Amino acid sequence: MLLQGRRALVTGASSGIGQSTAERLAREGASVCVNYYSDKEADDATRVVEAVRRAGTTGLAIRADVGDEAQVVAMVAQAASALGGLDLLVNNAGIEKQIPLLAMAEADWSAVLRTNLTGAFLCLREAGKVMAAAGHGVIVNMSSVHEFIPWPGFAHYCASKGGLQLLMKTAARELAPRGVRVCNIAPGAIVTPINRFVLDDPEAEHQVEAEIPMGRMGQPEEIAAAVAWAASSEAGYVTGTTLIVDGGMSLYPRFV
Ligand code: BGC
């Protein structure tokens, strides 16, 4: 097992990549706090906690909006106290919504930046304090191929993920001397609820598959596997970088 005895907090863990990640970390021996956003996700979060416990480790669900500073401070304190410390943060919570740039209201922009970038910053800062005090820890941010690929209709999303790249690199520099590694995982198109708008439309799904040299969307477990590795001591010399897990989507497949 890669993560025996490690204590992890995964944000946005009630579904999708977050859920798979929480369950994979548990199967690797980690205790896991399953963060979820609202009452609507509470039942799903409970099911993820049950899966964590079935893997034989400690699991608990914590409701918090990652964009709210007071809630993040309380969540990290609760996680560290319940698990007896914190070795791993997976900044996974994220939202997206297609809106043409010229029709984008400030509220649309702010909502995405608040969850995807400010949320990651707040969790990183709070968990980073616990880890730096202990002299070790790992922070893995779920970014996206849109950390570097522009995506029409998703300017706010791309800005948040691009921001996550330099947040990660800067944090990696600041925290390396304190024993804390920081890196990003950049998934391509993955079969999760965030992509329902594609999965429910066979033509759109076909277009996405045509953008992927491997010819298929990825499974959340394929991202969870990358997180487990990046979090483990097998990646002990890896910091300040992005691991792309996208079936080749970022290789300009349409370029001739
Ligand atoms: C988005 C997905 C999209 C993928 C590739 C991800 O960051 O969440 O909706 O399919 O990037 O474009």
Side-chain angles (χ1 to χ4, degrees), residues 1-56:
M1 287 198 280
L2 285 172
L3 301 168
Q4 189 69 55
R6 303 277 285 277
R7 298 153 299 184
L9 167 62
V10 183
T11 67
S14 55
S15 68
I17 291 172
Q19 169 185 356
S20 285
T21 298
E23 295 177 4
R24 176 65 190 261
L25 298 181
R27 290 201 300 277
E28 295 295 344
S31 303
V32 185
C33 274
V34 172
N35 159 255
Y36 66 101
Y37 173 62
S38 72
D39 281 349
K40 242 174 60 193
E41 290 83 29
D43 289 346
D44 286 342
T46 301
R47 277 189 281 277
V48 179
V49 166
E50 284 163 4
V52 166
R53 291 182 182 155
R54 275 198 302 277

